[in-house]
mmCIF file of all heavy atoms in Angstrom:
data_model
loop_
_atom_site.group_PDB
_atom_site.id
_atom_site.type_symbol
_atom_site.label_atom_id
_atom_site.label_comp_id
_atom_site.label_asym_id
_atom_site.label_seq_id
_atom_site.Cartn_x
_atom_site.Cartn_y
_atom_site.Cartn_z
ATOM 1 N N ALA K 58 -57.784 76.506 -72.870
ATOM 2 C CA ALA K 58 -57.398 77.584 -71.967
ATOM 3 C C ALA K 58 -58.182 77.532 -70.656
ATOM 4 O O ALA K 58 -57.710 78.020 -69.625
ATOM 5 C CB ALA K 58 -57.595 78.937 -72.640
ATOM 6 N N ARG K 59 -59.357 76.923 -70.671
ATOM 7 C CA ARG K 59 -60.196 76.849 -69.471
ATOM 8 C C ARG K 59 -59.961 75.597 -68.627
ATOM 9 O O ARG K 59 -60.509 75.477 -67.532
ATOM 10 C CB ARG K 59 -61.666 76.920 -69.863
ATOM 11 C CG ARG K 59 -62.088 78.253 -70.445
ATOM 12 C CD ARG K 59 -63.597 78.321 -70.644
ATOM 13 N NE ARG K 59 -64.119 77.284 -71.510
ATOM 14 C CZ ARG K 59 -64.266 77.381 -72.825
ATOM 15 N NH1 ARG K 59 -63.913 78.500 -73.443
ATOM 16 N NH2 ARG K 59 -64.764 76.392 -73.537
ATOM 17 N N VAL K 60 -59.163 74.670 -69.108
ATOM 18 C CA VAL K 60 -58.949 73.412 -68.386
ATOM 19 C C VAL K 60 -58.076 73.640 -67.165
ATOM 20 O O VAL K 60 -57.028 74.277 -67.231
ATOM 21 C CB VAL K 60 -58.287 72.352 -69.305
ATOM 22 C CG1 VAL K 60 -57.867 71.123 -68.505
ATOM 23 C CG2 VAL K 60 -59.223 71.948 -70.421
ATOM 24 N N THR K 61 -58.536 73.119 -66.044
ATOM 25 C CA THR K 61 -57.748 73.127 -64.809
ATOM 26 C C THR K 61 -57.811 71.728 -64.203
ATOM 27 O O THR K 61 -58.773 70.995 -64.413
ATOM 28 C CB THR K 61 -58.279 74.147 -63.787
ATOM 29 O OG1 THR K 61 -59.643 73.846 -63.502
ATOM 30 C CG2 THR K 61 -58.157 75.567 -64.294
ATOM 31 N N ALA K 62 -56.793 71.391 -63.465
ATOM 32 C CA ALA K 62 -56.763 70.100 -62.784
ATOM 33 C C ALA K 62 -57.712 70.145 -61.592
ATOM 34 O O ALA K 62 -57.869 71.177 -60.947
ATOM 35 C CB ALA K 62 -55.347 69.775 -62.336
ATOM 36 N N GLN K 63 -58.328 69.012 -61.327
ATOM 37 C CA GLN K 63 -59.262 68.917 -60.211
ATOM 38 C C GLN K 63 -58.620 68.075 -59.108
ATOM 39 O O GLN K 63 -58.261 66.918 -59.334
ATOM 40 C CB GLN K 63 -60.563 68.267 -60.683
ATOM 41 C CG GLN K 63 -61.584 68.081 -59.606
ATOM 42 C CD GLN K 63 -62.820 67.346 -60.112
ATOM 43 O OE1 GLN K 63 -62.788 66.712 -61.163
ATOM 44 N NE2 GLN K 63 -63.886 67.425 -59.355
ATOM 45 N N THR K 64 -58.481 68.645 -57.930
ATOM 46 C CA THR K 64 -57.958 67.919 -56.780
ATOM 47 C C THR K 64 -59.125 67.445 -55.934
ATOM 48 O O THR K 64 -59.983 68.239 -55.552
ATOM 49 C CB THR K 64 -57.019 68.810 -55.938
ATOM 50 O OG1 THR K 64 -55.967 69.276 -56.782
ATOM 51 C CG2 THR K 64 -56.420 68.039 -54.781
ATOM 52 N N VAL K 65 -59.149 66.140 -55.687
ATOM 53 C CA VAL K 65 -60.261 65.521 -54.967
ATOM 54 C C VAL K 65 -59.714 64.815 -53.735
ATOM 55 O O VAL K 65 -58.685 64.131 -53.807
ATOM 56 C CB VAL K 65 -60.990 64.502 -55.868
ATOM 57 C CG1 VAL K 65 -62.127 63.830 -55.137
ATOM 58 C CG2 VAL K 65 -61.479 65.159 -57.135
ATOM 59 N N GLN K 66 -60.411 64.976 -52.630
ATOM 60 C CA GLN K 66 -60.021 64.289 -51.408
ATOM 61 C C GLN K 66 -60.791 62.983 -51.317
ATOM 62 O O GLN K 66 -62.012 62.954 -51.467
ATOM 63 C CB GLN K 66 -60.314 65.168 -50.203
ATOM 64 C CG GLN K 66 -59.600 64.761 -48.958
ATOM 65 C CD GLN K 66 -59.689 65.843 -47.897
ATOM 66 O OE1 GLN K 66 -60.682 66.540 -47.800
ATOM 67 N NE2 GLN K 66 -58.646 65.963 -47.112
ATOM 68 N N GLY K 67 -60.067 61.889 -51.090
ATOM 69 C CA GLY K 67 -60.679 60.564 -51.029
ATOM 70 C C GLY K 67 -61.298 60.283 -49.679
ATOM 71 O O GLY K 67 -61.270 61.114 -48.767
ATOM 72 N N PRO K 68 -61.829 59.071 -49.541
ATOM 73 C CA PRO K 68 -62.438 58.694 -48.261
ATOM 74 C C PRO K 68 -61.373 58.475 -47.187
ATOM 75 O O PRO K 68 -60.204 58.245 -47.487
ATOM 76 C CB PRO K 68 -63.143 57.380 -48.589
ATOM 77 C CG PRO K 68 -62.380 56.823 -49.748
ATOM 78 C CD PRO K 68 -61.903 58.012 -50.535
ATOM 79 N N THR K 69 -61.792 58.537 -45.945
ATOM 80 C CA THR K 69 -60.887 58.264 -44.822
ATOM 81 C C THR K 69 -60.526 56.789 -44.845
ATOM 82 O O THR K 69 -61.389 55.933 -45.017
ATOM 83 C CB THR K 69 -61.561 58.610 -43.476
ATOM 84 O OG1 THR K 69 -61.939 59.974 -43.513
ATOM 85 C CG2 THR K 69 -60.636 58.354 -42.308
ATOM 86 N N ARG K 70 -59.231 56.521 -44.705
ATOM 87 C CA ARG K 70 -58.765 55.131 -44.689
ATOM 88 C C ARG K 70 -57.970 54.895 -43.417
ATOM 89 O O ARG K 70 -57.367 55.813 -42.870
ATOM 90 C CB ARG K 70 -57.861 54.860 -45.891
ATOM 91 C CG ARG K 70 -58.583 55.013 -47.200
ATOM 92 C CD ARG K 70 -57.653 54.667 -48.319
ATOM 93 N NE ARG K 70 -58.265 55.019 -49.597
ATOM 94 C CZ ARG K 70 -57.593 55.159 -50.708
ATOM 95 N NH1 ARG K 70 -56.301 54.971 -50.715
ATOM 96 N NH2 ARG K 70 -58.202 55.466 -51.818
ATOM 97 N N SER K 71 -57.945 53.640 -43.011
ATOM 98 C CA SER K 71 -57.174 53.317 -41.808
ATOM 99 C C SER K 71 -55.677 53.387 -42.083
ATOM 100 O O SER K 71 -54.895 53.698 -41.203
ATOM 101 C CB SER K 71 -57.562 51.930 -41.294
ATOM 102 O OG SER K 71 -57.321 50.966 -42.298
ATOM 103 N N SER K 72 -55.272 53.100 -43.308
ATOM 104 C CA SER K 72 -53.856 53.218 -43.653
ATOM 105 C C SER K 72 -53.726 53.482 -45.152
ATOM 106 O O SER K 72 -54.512 53.001 -45.955
ATOM 107 C CB SER K 72 -53.096 51.945 -43.285
ATOM 108 O OG SER K 72 -53.541 50.876 -44.085
ATOM 109 N N GLU K 73 -52.744 54.283 -45.482
ATOM 110 C CA GLU K 73 -52.459 54.582 -46.887
ATOM 111 C C GLU K 73 -51.371 53.648 -47.374
ATOM 112 O O GLU K 73 -50.507 53.228 -46.616
ATOM 113 C CB GLU K 73 -52.010 56.042 -47.047
ATOM 114 C CG GLU K 73 -53.112 57.030 -46.801
ATOM 115 C CD GLU K 73 -54.268 56.904 -47.770
ATOM 116 O OE1 GLU K 73 -54.041 56.709 -48.971
ATOM 117 O OE2 GLU K 73 -55.406 56.987 -47.307
ATOM 118 N N ARG K 74 -51.408 53.345 -48.645
ATOM 119 C CA ARG K 74 -50.386 52.497 -49.248
ATOM 120 C C ARG K 74 -49.253 53.391 -49.715
ATOM 121 O O ARG K 74 -49.315 53.989 -50.782
ATOM 122 C CB ARG K 74 -50.982 51.722 -50.424
ATOM 123 C CG ARG K 74 -52.004 50.670 -50.052
ATOM 124 C CD ARG K 74 -51.380 49.391 -49.533
ATOM 125 N NE ARG K 74 -50.302 48.869 -50.342
ATOM 126 C CZ ARG K 74 -50.463 47.963 -51.307
ATOM 127 N NH1 ARG K 74 -51.646 47.483 -51.582
ATOM 128 N NH2 ARG K 74 -49.410 47.545 -51.979
ATOM 129 N N LEU K 75 -48.223 53.480 -48.911
ATOM 130 C CA LEU K 75 -47.078 54.328 -49.217
ATOM 131 C C LEU K 75 -46.411 53.900 -50.516
ATOM 132 O O LEU K 75 -45.975 54.749 -51.297
ATOM 133 C CB LEU K 75 -46.095 54.300 -48.050
ATOM 134 C CG LEU K 75 -44.956 55.299 -48.097
ATOM 135 C CD1 LEU K 75 -45.483 56.725 -48.216
ATOM 136 C CD2 LEU K 75 -44.087 55.164 -46.863
ATOM 137 N N ASP K 76 -46.355 52.586 -50.771
ATOM 138 C CA ASP K 76 -45.729 52.103 -52.002
ATOM 139 C C ASP K 76 -46.473 52.597 -53.247
ATOM 140 O O ASP K 76 -45.845 52.947 -54.245
ATOM 141 C CB ASP K 76 -45.607 50.583 -52.002
ATOM 142 C CG ASP K 76 -46.945 49.867 -51.820
ATOM 143 O OD1 ASP K 76 -47.885 50.476 -51.265
ATOM 144 O OD2 ASP K 76 -47.038 48.676 -52.202
ATOM 145 N N LEU K 77 -47.783 52.682 -53.173
ATOM 146 C CA LEU K 77 -48.561 53.193 -54.312
ATOM 147 C C LEU K 77 -48.338 54.682 -54.512
ATOM 148 O O LEU K 77 -48.286 55.162 -55.650
ATOM 149 C CB LEU K 77 -50.048 52.900 -54.116
ATOM 150 C CG LEU K 77 -50.444 51.427 -54.111
ATOM 151 C CD1 LEU K 77 -51.940 51.276 -53.860
ATOM 152 C CD2 LEU K 77 -50.047 50.748 -55.415
ATOM 153 N N GLU K 78 -48.192 55.418 -53.424
ATOM 154 C CA GLU K 78 -47.921 56.852 -53.538
ATOM 155 C C GLU K 78 -46.546 57.107 -54.141
ATOM 156 O O GLU K 78 -46.378 58.003 -54.979
ATOM 157 C CB GLU K 78 -48.043 57.535 -52.172
ATOM 158 C CG GLU K 78 -49.448 57.583 -51.619
ATOM 159 C CD GLU K 78 -50.424 58.395 -52.451
ATOM 160 O OE1 GLU K 78 -49.994 59.270 -53.233
ATOM 161 O OE2 GLU K 78 -51.627 58.167 -52.314
ATOM 162 N N VAL K 79 -45.559 56.313 -53.758
ATOM 163 C CA VAL K 79 -44.217 56.455 -54.324
ATOM 164 C C VAL K 79 -44.246 56.097 -55.808
ATOM 165 O O VAL K 79 -43.599 56.760 -56.632
ATOM 166 C CB VAL K 79 -43.195 55.596 -53.548
ATOM 167 C CG1 VAL K 79 -41.850 55.564 -54.245
ATOM 168 C CG2 VAL K 79 -43.043 56.130 -52.124
ATOM 169 N N ALA K 80 -45.006 55.077 -56.175
ATOM 170 C CA ALA K 80 -45.138 54.719 -57.587
ATOM 171 C C ALA K 80 -45.814 55.841 -58.374
ATOM 172 O O ALA K 80 -45.403 56.155 -59.498
ATOM 173 C CB ALA K 80 -45.938 53.422 -57.729
ATOM 174 N N THR K 81 -46.821 56.461 -57.789
ATOM 175 C CA THR K 81 -47.478 57.595 -58.436
ATOM 176 C C THR K 81 -46.507 58.755 -58.616
ATOM 177 O O THR K 81 -46.478 59.402 -59.668
ATOM 178 C CB THR K 81 -48.702 58.054 -57.615
ATOM 179 O OG1 THR K 81 -49.648 56.984 -57.561
ATOM 180 C CG2 THR K 81 -49.368 59.278 -58.222
ATOM 181 N N ALA K 82 -45.688 59.011 -57.600
ATOM 182 C CA ALA K 82 -44.697 60.086 -57.698
ATOM 183 C C ALA K 82 -43.709 59.803 -58.829
ATOM 184 O O ALA K 82 -43.370 60.702 -59.614
ATOM 185 C CB ALA K 82 -43.961 60.254 -56.373
ATOM 186 N N SER K 83 -43.260 58.561 -58.938
ATOM 187 C CA SER K 83 -42.312 58.191 -60.002
ATOM 188 C C SER K 83 -42.943 58.318 -61.382
ATOM 189 O O SER K 83 -42.334 58.872 -62.305
ATOM 190 C CB SER K 83 -41.828 56.756 -59.797
ATOM 191 O OG SER K 83 -41.094 56.646 -58.610
ATOM 192 N N GLU K 84 -44.157 57.825 -61.526
ATOM 193 C CA GLU K 84 -44.853 57.913 -62.814
ATOM 194 C C GLU K 84 -45.079 59.369 -63.211
ATOM 195 O O GLU K 84 -44.866 59.749 -64.366
ATOM 196 C CB GLU K 84 -46.197 57.186 -62.746
ATOM 197 C CG GLU K 84 -46.990 57.298 -64.024
ATOM 198 C CD GLU K 84 -48.390 56.734 -63.904
ATOM 199 O OE1 GLU K 84 -48.736 56.154 -62.859
ATOM 200 O OE2 GLU K 84 -49.154 56.899 -64.869
ATOM 201 N N THR K 85 -45.480 60.185 -62.263
ATOM 202 C CA THR K 85 -45.730 61.596 -62.539
ATOM 203 C C THR K 85 -44.447 62.301 -62.966
ATOM 204 O O THR K 85 -44.449 63.082 -63.923
ATOM 205 C CB THR K 85 -46.350 62.273 -61.298
ATOM 206 O OG1 THR K 85 -47.562 61.598 -60.961
ATOM 207 C CG2 THR K 85 -46.647 63.738 -61.554
ATOM 208 N N ALA K 86 -43.358 62.016 -62.280
ATOM 209 C CA ALA K 86 -42.070 62.634 -62.632
ATOM 210 C C ALA K 86 -41.627 62.219 -64.032
ATOM 211 O O ALA K 86 -41.127 63.058 -64.806
ATOM 212 C CB ALA K 86 -41.007 62.257 -61.603
#
Side-chain angles (χ1 to χ4, degrees):
R59 293 187 302 269
V60 171
T61 58
Q63 178 184 17
T64 303
V65 179
Q66 197 167 34
T69 302
R70 297 183 189 162
S71 59
S72 66
E73 291 298 318
R74 292 281 312 267
L75 190 56
D76 57 337
L77 295 178
E78 292 297 338
V79 171
T81 298
S83 295
E84 177 187 355
T85 302

